[in-house]
Amino acid sequence: MKFFIDTANLDQIKEANDLGILDGVTTNPSLMAKEGISGEANFLNHYKTICEIVDGDVSAEVIATDFDGMIAEGEKLAALHPNIVVKIPAIKEGIKAIKYLSSKGIKTNCTLIFNVGQALLAAKAGATYVSPFIGRLDDISSDGLQLIEDIVNMFNYYDIATQVLAASIRHTMHIVECLKIGADVATCPLNAILGLLNHPLTDKGLEKFLADYHKLNP
Ligand code: E4P
């Protein structure tokens, strides 16, 4: 399973990249706003900076919601760097834009996926990734992980090449469950990735190893 970091924060992106396990980055307009980024030029610069830090796919989301606007934005974003993936919402115009952009060889990530039907239409349009949102489904007492499993099974059954990018991951156990289900990618907040390393027996064991060493090597 590939690991993407789900943030537009450059320090967190660098920290995850320095771990040596990072395969890509996802952003969205809310994450960009959180970093105080506004204006088209600053958005484009920020995406370029992320692409210079990480050697992997970087999702940049369109703001337009009409076909012409989405493809114009998508082509501009894709021209920034070969690793840019144009992120497009799972709406009618979005499916048409994914079809158009993928026919031009531009990678796309269909976002805001909340059911298998949306995932199927995005995949048929040629999306590189579909992003089902786990946490937001869990928030409304629905089962986000079940949706990941259903889409993984559907894509396997029909031999669909589109990758399942598990999004809206809120904590470490979401990542562990995505691993078991067979998601292609998990895009995660930094603390959820670092949480994979947390184990009291690791800390306790290391403390004892070092204490034993220092007894004989004061
Ligand atoms: C990433 O592609 C999504 O936009 C993101 O994971 C959404 O996460 P949230 O539901 O925690 O905002």
Side-chain angles (χ1 to χ4, degrees):
M1 187 173 78
K2 286 187 276 187
F3 272 105
F4 289 2
I5 188 164
D6 193 23
T7 185
N9 182 281
L10 297 181
D11 289 336
Q12 290 189 17
I13 291 170
K14 283 180 196 146
E15 188 176 338
N17 195 53
D18 285 349
L19 271 176
I21 52 83
L22 195 62
D23 301 299
V25 180
T26 52
T27 62
N28 63 36
S30 305
L31 293 171
M32 296 290 274
K34 206 169 156 188
E35 301 309 313
I37 299 156
S38 64
E40 192 192 16
N42 291 330
F43 265 69
L44 298 180
N45 271 338
H46 202 76
Y47 294 137
K48 267 171 89 171
T49 306
I50 295 173
C51 289
E52 280 155 16
I53 298 170
V54 179
D55 183 19
D57 282 351
V58 174
S59 285
E61 190 159 340
V62 298
I63 303 300
T65 54
D66 63 297
F67 174 76
D68 289 333
M70 281 193 263
I71 63 167
E73 260 188 74
E75 284 176 331
K76 193 180 270 187
L77 289 166
L80 284 176
H81 194 280
N83 288 347
I84 287 284
V85 177
V86 181
K87 205 172 177 194
I88 296 190
I91 57 175
K92 195 164 103 186
E93 297 291 290
I95 298 301
K96 284 156 61 178
I98 289 168
K99 179 77 185 177
Y100 176 88
L101 292 170
S102 64
S103 77
K104 300 277 169 201
I106 293 174
K107 289 180 282 187
T108 55
N109 172 0
C110 189
T111 189
L112 291 166
I113 297 264
F114 293 97
N115 66 45
V116 286
Q118 292 171 319
L120 178 63
L121 291 182
K124 283 185 77 75
T128 315
Y129 299 100
V130 289
S131 287
F133 277 36
I134 301 173
R136 292 193 196 187
L137 280 171
D138 290 357
D139 287 346
I140 58 158
S141 307
S142 217
D143 190 341
L145 287 164
Q146 185 60 55
L147 176 61
I148 301 291
E149 189 168 358
D150 290 345
I151 297 173
V152 166
N153 288 341
M154 172 178 68
F155 284 6
N156 286 342
Y157 188 82
Y158 290 106
D159 207 13
I160 290 171
T162 301
Q163 297 177 58
V164 180
L165 193 169
S168 190
I169 283 178
R170 301 280 169 75
H171 51 73
T172 302
M173 274 313 286
H174 274 156
I175 305 178
V176 174
E177 292 301 328
C178 283
L179 274 167
K180 291 185 195 163
I181 290 166
D184 299 287
V185 189
T187 188
C188 324
L190 179 62
N191 59 0
I193 299 174
L194 295 177
L196 291 166
L197 287 169
N198 283 347
H199 201 290
L201 291 180
T202 303
D203 298 339
K204 200 174 155 194
L206 181 60
E207 201 179 311
K208 175 89 166 72
F209 286 156
L210 294 180
D212 288 344
Y213 171 84
H214 286 300
K215 264 185 235 160
L216 296 185
N217 300 276

